[in-house]
Amino acid sequence: MESLKAVFWKPDPAAQMRKCNTLIRTNTRKLDRDMAQLKALDSKTKGFILQASKRGQRNPSQAKQAAVETRTFARELIRIRKQSSRLATSKAQLHSVQMQVNEAFAVRKIEGSIRASTGIMKDVNSLVRLPELTGTMRELSQELVKAGIIEEMVGDSLPDNELLEGEDEEAETEVDKVLGEVLQGKLGKVEGKKVDEKPVEEAPVAEDEDFEDQEATLAQMRGRLEALKS
């Protein structure tokens, strides 16, 4: 019956608007979940930086290894924050799309017709290219095309190297900045403690175990970060 209605009658504007808003809310919730995960990863990574730094202060023989660890975790923190910033921008764009779509349907209700919006099309094109939103944004774009709000479909998703463009060039400067932010005010307390001249023999083993645990955790964090982009 619904298929026959689709042949003989035009889609119901109210139903179209509800479906578009449902898809937009679905995308918004997805972004909120991803941003919450990134916030948790941000906090956890800062903790690892502090742990590695303190370990280097307690045991000078581990200082070089600890310095490498802190910079490695700082780079991961940069990646997490860039992704979080990108998702926050995407959420703002999605909110803008929702406002423009509702406005377009409101105008259609008053004037009896609807005009294609280049502004909405630009935002949708940008959002549909994000790996996190590709599926549902394509569905939304199809609904907007049916409603006459946009005129053409969108392109492919952004490759990872484009998402992280410029990271290598800025990495070292950003790493120093992040380390300064995370370690400021915390190193002083550690530096104020005297290092034992004869550390317990078991300590190096514990440090090695800590390092292996943090390497495993780092691998898990990278996996989560990649999962958020797929």
Side-chain angles (χ1 to χ4, degrees):
M1 185 65 180
E2 292 297 326
S3 59
L4 289 175
K5 286 183 179 181
V7 173
F8 295 105
W9 288 278
K10 293 183 179 180
D12 176 24
Q16 285 182 312
M17 185 174 73
R18 284 196 299 271
K19 186 167 185 178
C20 288
N21 280 316
T22 297
L23 289 169
I24 290 172
R25 285 193 297 270
T26 298
N27 282 311
T28 301
R29 287 193 295 269
K30 174 67 168 61
L31 288 176
D32 285 337
R33 287 193 299 270
D34 289 351
M35 289 168 68
Q37 290 183 45
L38 288 171
K39 185 177 180 180
L41 285 176
D42 185 297
S43 179
K44 184 177 290 187
T45 307
K46 286 191 289 188
F48 288 140
I49 291 173
L50 288 170
Q51 289 174 18
S53 177
K54 289 178 180 179
R55 190 169 66 253
Q57 292 292 328
R58 287 196 305 265
N59 192 341
S61 66
Q62 296 289 323
K64 185 175 181 180
Q65 176 180 296
V68 172
E69 286 183 52
T70 56
R71 297 190 76 80
T72 300
F73 284 123
R75 289 189 183 93
E76 289 304 309
L77 187 56
I78 291 168
R79 289 170 62 88
I80 290 167
R81 288 180 174 180
K82 284 186 175 181
Q83 178 116 338
S84 182
S85 176
R86 184 169 58 84
L87 295 188
T89 300
S90 299
K91 184 178 177 180
Q93 283 183 303
L94 198 55
H95 181 64
S96 173
V97 167
Q98 184 174 30
M99 292 179 64
Q100 293 179 76
V101 166
N102 288 336
E103 182 181 353
F105 277 110
V107 171
R108 178 180 185 174
K109 187 175 181 180
I110 295 172
E111 299 182 357
S113 62
I114 199 166
R115 292 186 294 273
S117 169
T118 56
I120 297 177
M121 187 168 64
K122 182 179 178 180
D123 285 337
V124 171
N125 269 314
S126 175
L127 289 166
V128 82
R129 297 175 69 201
L130 293 176
E132 296 87 352
L133 303 180
T134 298
T136 47
M137 283 305 301
R138 284 191 183 280
E139 188 177 354
L140 175 61
S141 67
Q142 290 170 356
E143 291 300 319
L144 294 176
V145 168
K146 290 178 185 178
I149 294 176
I150 62 175
E151 294 180 342
E152 60 186 64
M153 294 299 292
V154 289
D156 298 328
S157 62
L158 289 172
D160 288 347
N161 60 345
E162 187 173 341
L163 292 174
L164 300 174
E165 185 178 358
E167 181 174 307
D168 292 338
E169 292 79 356
E170 300 175 359
E172 292 308 312
T173 301
E174 289 192 45
V175 166
D176 291 335
K177 183 178 179 181
V178 165
L179 289 177
E181 170 204 331
V182 176
L183 299 176
Q184 184 178 12
K186 308 253 177 161
L187 272 179
K189 297 179 182 178
V190 178
E191 289 171 352
K193 296 180 180 179
K194 293 183 179 180
V195 179
D196 294 335
E197 294 181 1
K198 295 181 180 180
V200 181
E201 291 182 2
E202 289 79 10
V205 177
E207 300 299 346
D208 290 341
E209 291 176 352
D210 287 344
F211 178 70
E212 290 176 1
D213 290 343
Q214 290 194 355
E215 282 292 299
T217 303
L218 181 59
Q220 292 177 359
M221 288 166 53
R222 286 172 175 166
R224 291 180 188 176
L225 191 58
E226 291 303 318
L228 289 173
K229 296 186 292 184
S230 63

